Amino acid sequence: MDYSSWVDTSLDLNSKPLRGHEVLLEKFRLPKEEEASFVERPRKNNVSVKEETGALVEELNRISAENKKLTEMLTVMCENYNALKSQFMDYVSKNREIEVAPSKKRKSESSNNNDNNITMNGNSESSSTDEESCKRPKEVVKAKISRVYVRTEAADTSLVVKDGYQWRKYGQKVTRDNPCPRAYFKCSFAPSCPVKKKVQRSVEDQSVLVATYEGEHNHSHPTQMEATSGSNRSLALGSVPCSTSFPSSGPTVTLDLTKSKSSTDAKSSAPRMDAPEVRQFLVEQMASSLTKDPKFTAALAAAISGKVFEQNLTEK
DNA sequence: CGTATTTGACCCGCGC
DNA sequence: GCGCGGGTCAAATACG
């Protein structure tokens, strides 16, 4: 997830949280010669080691406090992100209720009692097992649908979305609105699993695969079983969406499989954004993208060096 | 030889 | 009723 593309990571680290929020950036912009002489300034003998240690400890404390504040800011940012996301999901699900016309399935399918997992918003794990819903043919019986955008290598012509489940391809069709063929898969991990998925390349971006999942798995995730018996947490993290996208309808997730090292286990059918692991992962991702942002690192370096200079100035 | 994939035929809903 | 288009089936084929 490339947060840096839509989150301004250019934090003003020169603002001093412990001394109010006045920007002291200008103060740190010393003339070059002054700065050079400052750096080369020989240590005065009358500065005792004890004083210097105390100053360093104080500096350390201040940096720790600033670090804490940055963490808080990051947390707040994450919370804002989640709030925004939930609002967006609400909006999308409302739109879907209007948008998704009651298109009836084939008769053979409507009599299939696996169709009774009805949730418009694909994030609900609730699965009703009542057999009544399938006996009401006129009712809008719609399996849980979620759409996932997966970025793959452009040269990769296979319509394979590796999400950790075992899929069996049962058909391929060229549709009218997209020259790229659409592949149809059934979950073959469990014989009775009703989940299907359709995979098709995006019209706009041929390197993006659009996987549409229908229904809910009636078995546990293969990689979850591994995760519980084993210890590979990265497998579970592989299920975390790398970036959300903004499609025309439906809950969606974009996985960047060109970058993911654990792409073979990227679960995407039911992303749980509010799971603690996901939140942790989001924080890590954001922190990672912050540290990768040259603007951020430059600002951080400037702030730290600025503080060191300031500390030295106060010692003068 | 068993299993997975391919692919043309078929089914079915929908609009005209 | 008919044609179109999406979805599914199943025989043929490929593969390990």
Side-chain angles (χ1 to χ4, degrees):
Chain A
M1 183 180 312
D2 188 10
Y3 283 99
S4 58
S5 61
W6 52 280
V7 173
D8 185 11
T9 55
S10 58
L11 297 174
D12 185 7
L13 291 173
N14 289 312
S15 66
K16 301 192 64 179
L18 294 183
R19 298 181 186 180
H21 291 285
E22 72 272 28
V23 178
L24 299 175
L25 191 60
E26 295 302 319
K27 188 178 176 179
F28 298 137
R29 292 215 184 106
L30 301 172
K32 208 161 187 181
E33 52 275 23
E34 188 182 342
E35 192 177 319
S37 65
F38 181 69
V39 171
E40 290 162 11
R41 177 171 54 101
R43 182 175 293 167
K44 290 177 182 175
N45 293 333
N46 59 358
V47 177
S48 70
V49 176
K50 197 176 179 180
E51 259 179 42
E52 196 175 346
T53 309
L56 280 172
V57 167
E58 190 192 336
E59 180 66 23
L60 196 63
N61 287 340
R62 196 179 305 153
I63 289 173
S64 297
E66 189 172 327
N67 189 22
K68 194 177 169 185
K69 187 174 174 63
L70 278 170
T71 308
E72 283 168 13
M73 284 167 70
L74 198 57
T75 308
V76 168
M77 213 191 297
C78 279
E79 280 168 7
N80 288 342
Y81 164 77
N82 283 330
L84 255 176
K85 185 180 163 47
S86 62
Q87 280 179 23
F88 173 68
M89 287 303 186
D90 284 347
Y91 174 76
V92 163
S93 61
K94 275 175 195 169
N95 271 12
R96 277 179 65 83
E97 281 170 18
I98 301 163
E99 203 174 302
V100 176
S103 64
K104 279 169 287 188
K105 290 262 174 181
R106 307 169 64 149
K107 273 181 192 170
S108 58
E109 258 184 83
S110 62
S111 62
N112 185 351
N113 63 1
N114 287 326
D115 262 0
N116 53 16
N117 296 334
I118 313 153
T119 46
M120 277 310 190
N121 191 339
N123 286 336
S124 170
E125 287 283 310
S126 66
S127 60
S128 61
T129 54
D130 60 324
E131 305 233 343
E132 292 159 41
S133 58
C134 66
K135 291 175 182 173
R136 286 174 290 185
K138 286 294 171 186
E139 197 169 336
V140 182
V141 177
K142 195 86 181 162
K144 168 183 161 177
I145 294 176
S146 61
R147 193 171 298 175
V148 177
Y149 288 66
V150 181
R151 177 161 295 139
T152 61
E153 301 290 344
D156 186 10
T157 55
S158 65
L159 290 168
V160 176
V161 176
K162 293 173 180 175
D163 50 16
Y165 288 99
Q166 208 174 329
W167 299 99
R168 175 189 168 85
K169 189 177 180 180
Y170 66 91
Q172 182 166 313
K173 194 97 178 174
V174 178
T175 55
R176 218 180 120 206
D177 53 339
N178 192 337
C180 301
R182 175 184 295 169
Y184 299 90
F185 296 90
K186 277 178 185 168
C187 180
S188 63
F189 186 76
S192 61
C193 183
V195 179
K196 293 171 193 170
K197 79 169 175 181
K198 293 175 275 187
V199 181
Q200 189 172 30
R201 295 202 172 274
S202 169
V203 189
E204 297 90 15
D205 189 350
Q206 301 274 310
S207 65
V208 174
L209 290 176
V210 182
T212 308
Y213 292 83
E214 260 180 69
E216 283 183 84
H217 295 277
N218 58 10
H219 55 87
S220 58
H221 192 284
T223 57
Q224 275 179 354
M225 287 159 63
E226 285 176 38
T228 50
S229 62
S231 61
N232 198 346
R233 273 199 61 160
S234 67
L235 290 177
L237 288 175
S239 68
V240 174
C242 295
S243 74
T244 52
S245 57
F246 298 87
S248 55
S249 67
T252 63
V253 172
T254 299
L255 302 173
D256 192 342
L257 295 185
T258 62
K259 290 171 187 171
S260 172
K261 285 173 187 168
S262 57
S263 60
T264 52
D265 294 292
K267 176 189 170 187
S268 48
S269 60
R272 303 293 298 251
M273 296 303 291
D274 43 3
E277 297 151 322
V278 177
R279 287 180 68 95
Q280 176 64 28
F281 180 71
L282 279 173
V283 171
E284 284 170 12
Q285 280 283 323
M286 291 182 78
S288 164
S289 85
L290 280 174
T291 53
K292 282 175 192 165
D293 186 356
K295 279 162 77 180
F296 176 82
T297 48
L300 185 64
I304 291 171
S305 59
K307 282 178 182 302
V308 170
F309 289 148
E310 187 205 27
Q311 183 64 35
N312 288 335
L313 278 171
T314 53
E315 280 176 26
K316 238 184 208 174

